Amino acid sequence: MGDLSLIISAAVGVLGSPMTMLVIMLGTLMGLVFGSLPGLTATMGVALLIPLTYTMDPVQAIGMMLGCYVGGIAGGAIPAILLNIPGTPDACVTTMDGYPMAQQGRGAKALGWAAFASGIGTFFSWIILIFCAPLLASVCIEFGSPEYCALALFGLSIIIAVSGKSILKGILAGLLGIGISFIGIDPVWGNLRFTFGNVNLLGGISLMPALIGFYSIPQILTGCLEEGVQAKGEYKIRLRDFVPSLKELWQEKFVIIRSSAIGTLIGAIPATGGNIAAYIAYDQTKKFSKDPDSFGRGNHRGVISAEAANNGVCGGALIPLLTLGIPGDSVTAMMLGGLILHGLQPGPLLFAEHPDIIIGLFTTLMAGTIFMVLLQMFGIQMFIRVLSVPTNFLNSVLVVLSLVGSYALNNNFFDVIVALVLGLLGFIMTKADFPMAPAVLGLVLGGRFESEFRRSLQISNNSFAVFVRRPIAFGLILAAAILIILSTVMHWRSQNRAAAEGEI
Amino acid sequence: MSKTARVYELITCLVLAIYSLVMIAYARLNPVTAKVRGMKSYTFPVGVYALMLGICIILIIKNLVNEVRIKKVFSTLTLHERRQLRAEEKEQYVFEPLDRRVIITTALIIAYAAAWNLVGFSLATMAFVTVTAKVLRPATKLETCILVAIATTILIHVVFVKLFAISLPEPLLSAILS
């Protein structure tokens, strides 16, 4: 009883403080801005916020950072849907169905689904965080190199599912991404590889310039042929065009819950992230769908699954951070620094020593999620206006933003060159019907797969049995094999269906 | 698949094949040895690049065989039949060259990036936005293009430089102001 009253009083203390609410709202707004600008990430947003929180109460500081985190992940969907340019790497999957929806005049609906799916995804992960944190943390702590390697393989197996018309082209694009990830320092031996004596290649190819290259530049070059405005559609939208009805939400309950669960689980595994969660959730939704061919052509379920999963990662990533003191990704690493600055050491003792802070954290995460949805709801009129900007202005401004975004990450002009080179390659590949999603997937997971694979072989004295002996690793490899077979069969069926329709 | 897509596919495969060959050659010319357990530093990457090369070769062969087959079909068509072809059928046989606007935009983007280190971000951005907006839609008034260019530059400067403390290159402006 005493515990319950403590929980209620701490939660009411947070929710009843106008200052705390304002700070959370500002953090969320900043996150949405950072997420929606390609090149600026939630990590950068949290990093810039930390100095502002020095004088704040710890709960306010945590609230502001969490708001920025949640907003930053969700904000990536806005340019992904409206311009086909993911604001963050996590929003790559959202482009696949979000942009076609915007082109069909359903941009507001796509943004609405993205906002609500993001909100529900975070809410789901919030519940799991509260009730299952210790249990999930104990499973994730068992992860060693073979498990991480198997997880990366599982992620890479999705390449087949997102390959589009040709599996061979998808695999080639995926291998290109993996190949790029080898450049730089060997993660196991520490020697330099494929650097050609260039100092700028020592740190490898950064993800953001590569992402801008693969997605943004081809889109700009294709878009410069369009006359007038970006897409047809109604720009004076009503709130009901944006907000999904209760009936619609109920119809999509399985997609939302499944994707949120995938996001939370993936997020709880350190060093994975929203990108892979979104790919896996998208793939699963497509597999369970009665009409898998409609994915990639403006199916709202594609947007829902991607956004519910990448925001589900938010709560999931907080599990190892709070229970074990292990940050799951770069944003939570930044937040770990922020928490330590406020005299809080995440770990098992945090729950025992500062229950008020933990409850405050849970409450602020929830408040940040609500603000994220509300800000998107009331900002929709402004966001959708992007579609009515003449393409000649939009494209020239996008070029500037893309190059500044590439440069901003490391303050390095070399990243601009990387974005341009990969952009031109991406443009040629797009013209040749090569899918871009496998290239990004390969780039994100290729390096991880290689390093964990080689480490696994090192610890097992070059024996592949290490992947069979460990149940989690074996289970993941088995799941990857099943996924590859299922995706290939589905692709083959879809090709046959398309051929039959063509004959008719 | 359209003739245009086939040509671009061939170009992509050739570029990627050359890229993987260069990487394999680099690995062979710069071997790294160490007396430790496990896989060697270049073994895994070379395997990936070899696989990439293999797929490129398969796609190039498929592309060329397809090309010969389609050319054969096209040669059997009479002049009248060729004229009667529907747009989507025509796509299979006729290559559509890149639009002039795409080539100009590409050139402008490259020139813009190069101008960052010569005249600086602000001046290059103003010139780039003005010229690109005018080239892509000549009907737009020059004054509007200039106004949008100035507004874009100021906005990006405020957000990125003032707010987020990112130092964009300004060699000319900093030389003038100092």
Side-chain angles (χ1 to χ4, degrees):
Chain A
M1 200 65 185
D3 283 353
L4 192 67
S5 64
L6 176 78
I7 292 169
I8 292 170
S9 67
V12 168
V14 173
L15 296 171
S17 158
M19 189 60 199
T20 309
M21 287 293 113
L22 182 72
V23 159
I24 298 170
M25 196 183 77
L26 285 175
T28 314
L29 184 66
M30 187 164 165
L32 279 171
V33 172
F34 267 70
S36 58
L37 287 172
L40 298 184
T41 57
T43 315
M44 210 188 271
V46 174
L48 288 167
L49 277 182
I50 290 174
L52 297 180
T53 66
Y54 284 157
T55 53
M56 285 179 195
D57 167 62
V59 174
Q60 285 178 351
I62 293 168
M64 198 173 199
M65 288 190 280
L66 281 175
C68 185
Y69 181 26
V70 174
I73 304 294
I78 299 168
I81 290 168
L82 297 177
L83 305 166
N84 203 19
I85 297 168
T88 61
D90 298 354
C92 283
V93 188
T94 315
T95 58
M96 295 205 268
D97 281 282
Y99 185 62
M101 278 182 82
Q103 290 217 304
Q104 293 156 10
R106 295 189 290 143
K109 199 76 198 167
L111 284 171
W113 273 120
F116 276 82
S118 298
I120 299 170
T122 318
F123 180 68
F124 182 90
S125 67
W126 178 75
I127 293 172
I128 301 293
L129 173 69
I130 294 173
F131 293 105
C132 310
L135 178 75
L136 270 173
S138 65
V139 174
C140 296
I141 199 76
E142 294 293 319
F143 269 53
S145 285
E147 284 78 17
Y148 278 118
C149 171
L151 186 71
L153 180 72
F154 183 68
L156 286 170
S157 67
I158 295 159
I159 284 177
I160 310 281
V162 292
S163 283
K165 288 176 195 163
S166 162
I167 289 184
L168 218 50
K169 281 185 185 176
I171 294 173
L172 186 57
L175 288 174
L176 170 68
I178 298 173
I180 292 172
S181 74
F182 295 139
I183 298 168
I185 296 169
D186 180 336
V188 181
W189 281 18
N191 58 287
L192 296 177
R193 292 191 306 189
F194 308 112
T195 55
F196 296 90
N198 190 327
V199 189
N200 292 303
L201 288 173
L202 295 185
I205 302 288
S206 300
L207 181 62
M208 207 59 212
L211 200 66
I212 285 172
F214 281 137
Y215 276 93
S216 181
I217 309 282
Q219 180 59 34
I220 292 164
L221 291 177
T222 314
C224 71
L225 293 175
E226 287 165 21
E227 291 286 341
V229 293
Q230 186 78 5
K232 293 180 184 78
E234 188 65 53
Y235 302 118
K236 272 195 174 175
I237 57 155
R238 292 154 299 181
L239 208 58
R240 71 161 181 251
D241 297 331
F242 174 84
V243 182
S245 66
L246 279 175
K247 192 182 160 196
E248 284 174 317
L249 281 170
W250 183 249
Q251 277 171 349
E252 307 305 342
K253 58 187 179 293
F254 292 122
V255 176
I256 298 176
I257 292 172
R258 186 174 53 237
S259 306
S260 306
I262 290 171
T264 310
L265 193 69
I266 298 285
I269 302 164
T272 44
N275 197 310
I276 176 171
Y279 272 111
I280 293 174
Y282 182 86
D283 181 50
Q284 290 307 309
T285 307
K286 194 176 165 184
K287 284 209 167 59
F288 279 102
S289 169
K290 285 176 188 158
D291 183 20
D293 292 346
S294 65
F295 281 77
R297 293 175 189 169
N299 190 327
H300 65 281
R301 290 194 178 103
V303 177
I304 296 172
S305 49
E307 285 304 309
N310 68 23
N311 264 77
V313 165
C314 293
L318 289 175
I319 295 171
L321 176 74
L322 295 177
T323 54
L324 307 166
I326 300 169
D329 54 21
S330 52
V331 195
T332 41
M334 210 60 82
M335 284 178 53
L336 175 67
L339 289 170
I340 292 170
L341 268 172
H342 284 273
L344 304 164
Q345 180 60 54
L349 285 177
L350 185 68
F351 283 80
E353 288 173 359
H354 299 283
D356 52 327
I357 300 282
I358 292 292
I359 295 157
L361 187 145
F362 291 161
T363 317
T364 54
L365 177 62
M366 198 61 253
T369 309
I370 294 167
F371 278 130
M372 179 264 289
V373 178
L374 287 177
L375 283 169
Q376 289 200 71
M377 257 171 82
F378 295 107
I380 181 74
Q381 293 285 3
M382 197 180 72
F383 299 140
I384 208 88
R385 289 254 156 227
V386 173
L387 292 178
S388 60
V389 175
T391 44
N392 59 332
F393 289 128
L394 190 66
N395 282 319
S396 28
V397 174
L398 281 178
V399 170
V400 178
L401 272 178
S402 300
L403 298 196
V404 173
S406 309
Y407 179 86
L409 198 71
N410 303 316
N411 272 8
N412 189 354
F413 187 73
F414 184 76
D415 285 340
V416 176
I417 299 171
V418 168
L420 283 179
V421 171
L422 292 182
L424 293 179
L425 179 64
F427 177 66
I428 299 172
M429 287 173 79
T430 314
K431 293 285 256 180
D433 286 340
F434 273 87
M436 282 295 110
V440 176
L441 208 57
L443 189 61
V444 174
L445 292 172
R448 175 107 202 162
F449 176 75
E450 188 216 353
S451 59
E452 300 299 353
F453 178 66
R454 286 172 57 196
R455 272 190 205 115
S456 304
L457 289 183
Q458 253 183 352
I459 51 174
S460 67
N461 216 359
N462 287 342
S463 164
F464 284 93
V466 70
F467 297 106
V468 184
R469 264 190 249 119
R470 299 175 69 125
I472 299 176
F474 184 63
L476 283 166
I477 292 171
L478 211 62
I482 294 168
L483 202 67
I484 292 171
I485 295 167
L486 271 175
S487 302
T488 315
V489 170
M490 275 180 71
H491 177 84
W492 181 69
R493 273 190 189 165
S494 154
Q495 294 286 88
N496 278 355
R497 244 192 327 264
E501 277 167 17
E503 276 168 22
I504 291 162
Chain B
M1 194 158 68
S2 70
K3 167 93 178 174
T4 314
R6 289 202 308 276
V7 171
Y8 283 111
E9 184 188 272
L10 195 64
I11 296 170
T12 307
C13 290
L14 282 171
V15 170
L16 295 184
I18 293 168
Y19 166 71
S20 41
L21 267 175
V22 169
M23 294 310 233
I24 292 169
Y26 184 93
R28 287 277 166 264
L29 294 171
N30 301 279
V32 181
T33 46
K35 283 182 180 170
V36 285
R37 279 185 300 179
M39 201 177 253
K40 284 181 183 171
S41 181
Y42 278 116
T43 310
F44 191 84
V46 166
V48 168
Y49 290 126
L51 190 60
M52 222 171 129
L53 185 63
I55 294 176
C56 284
I57 293 169
I58 292 171
L59 282 173
I60 290 170
I61 294 170
K62 263 180 80 178
N63 186 297
L64 293 176
V65 169
N66 209 10
E67 190 61 40
V68 171
R69 189 180 57 80
I70 288 170
K71 241 182 195 164
K72 242 183 207 170
V73 176
F74 191 63
S75 63
T76 58
L77 298 175
T78 62
L79 213 63
H80 178 69
E81 280 171 330
R82 286 181 193 182
R83 277 198 210 111
Q84 294 291 308
L85 285 173
R86 279 181 289 144
E88 59 265 36
E89 285 173 327
K90 217 173 192 176
E91 268 184 359
Q92 279 204 16
Y93 307 111
V94 186
F95 175 73
E96 198 185 305
L98 264 184
D99 191 283
R100 206 167 51 92
R101 282 170 294 175
V102 177
I103 299 168
I104 295 172
T105 311
T106 310
L108 283 171
I109 294 174
I110 294 169
Y112 168 57
W116 274 30
N117 288 329
L118 296 173
V119 294
F121 169 78
S122 300
L123 294 175
T125 303
M126 277 191 254
F128 172 77
V129 175
T130 310
V131 174
T132 313
K134 187 75 188 160
V135 166
L136 290 180
R137 210 173 175 202
T140 317
K141 281 183 186 168
L142 185 65
E143 297 92 314
T144 318
C145 295
I146 295 171
L147 273 175
V148 171
I150 294 171
T152 308
T153 311
I154 293 172
L155 197 71
I156 288 181
H157 189 82
V158 169
V159 174
F160 284 84
V161 180
K162 295 287 171 205
L163 212 62
F164 305 144
I166 289 159
S167 62
L168 292 162
E170 294 288 3
L172 206 64
L173 275 185
S174 55
I176 294 167
L177 293 173
S178 63

